[in-house]
Amino acid sequence: QVQLVESGGGLVQAGDPLRLSCAISKRTFTYYNMGWFRQAPGKEREFVAAISWNGGSTRYAASVKGRFTASRDNFKNTVYPQIDSLKPEDTAVYYCATLRYYNENVVNDWGQGTQVTVSS
């Protein structure tokens, strides 16, 4: 069983950067393809970014491409999305998830989410 715990959210100013973390708690040495999603108030949850199990590949939604950088440290079992130049429309609950396949947004496990609020 995999447990995912996000952290790093909070209230930030527009234009500031923010680094989130997702700690992966697992019983095996399996490394997972990981994804980030977000859900803004009144909207559906949407895909934001994915990173392959070894960190060698990343892909991003058009809305964050160029501002969002996903990385991971498999020794620490942690993935780190860095969001630069935050905008008010980035306000959302951000979730990390394990992906069944790197190139598909099929989720096996969800974290509980961390709130990011961007003030203008």
Side-chain angles (χ1 to χ4, degrees):
Q1 183 155 356
V2 178
Q3 289 187 322
L4 307 173
V5 179
E6 301 93 334
S7 61
L11 176 63
V12 295
Q13 296 286 328
D16 283 351
L18 184 67
R19 191 192 200 201
L20 305 177
S21 297
C22 173
I24 307 163
S25 177
K26 55 186 175 69
R27 293 182 177 270
T28 72
F29 291 108
T30 302
Y31 295 118
Y32 297 93
N33 299 305
M34 299 296 297
W36 284 91
F37 298 77
R38 68 185 181 185
Q39 187 165 19
K43 295 188 177 182
E44 292 187 354
R45 193 172 299 187
E46 63 175 359
F47 167 78
V48 177
I51 185 166
S52 62
W53 67 273
N54 62 353
S57 298
T58 54
R59 58 185 177 92
Y60 303 98
S63 58
V64 301
K65 203 167 188 179
R67 300 190 298 119
F68 199 104
T69 303
S71 61
R72 65 190 298 159
D73 184 335
N74 281 344
F75 290 105
K76 295 182 178 179
N77 290 324
T78 305
V79 291
Y80 305 101
Q82 166 94 14
I83 314 171
D84 295 320
S85 303
L86 279 160
K87 304 176 182 180
E89 52 264 40
D90 293 320
T91 295
V93 178
Y94 284 74
Y95 299 89
C96 70
T98 58
L99 299 178
R100 190 168 302 175
Y101 305 105
Y102 164 70
N103 277 318
E104 297 180 13
N105 298 336
V106 178
V107 173
N108 283 334
D109 308 282
W110 290 102
Q112 86 288 350
T114 185
Q115 175 71 48
V116 173
T117 304
V118 184
S119 63
S120 57

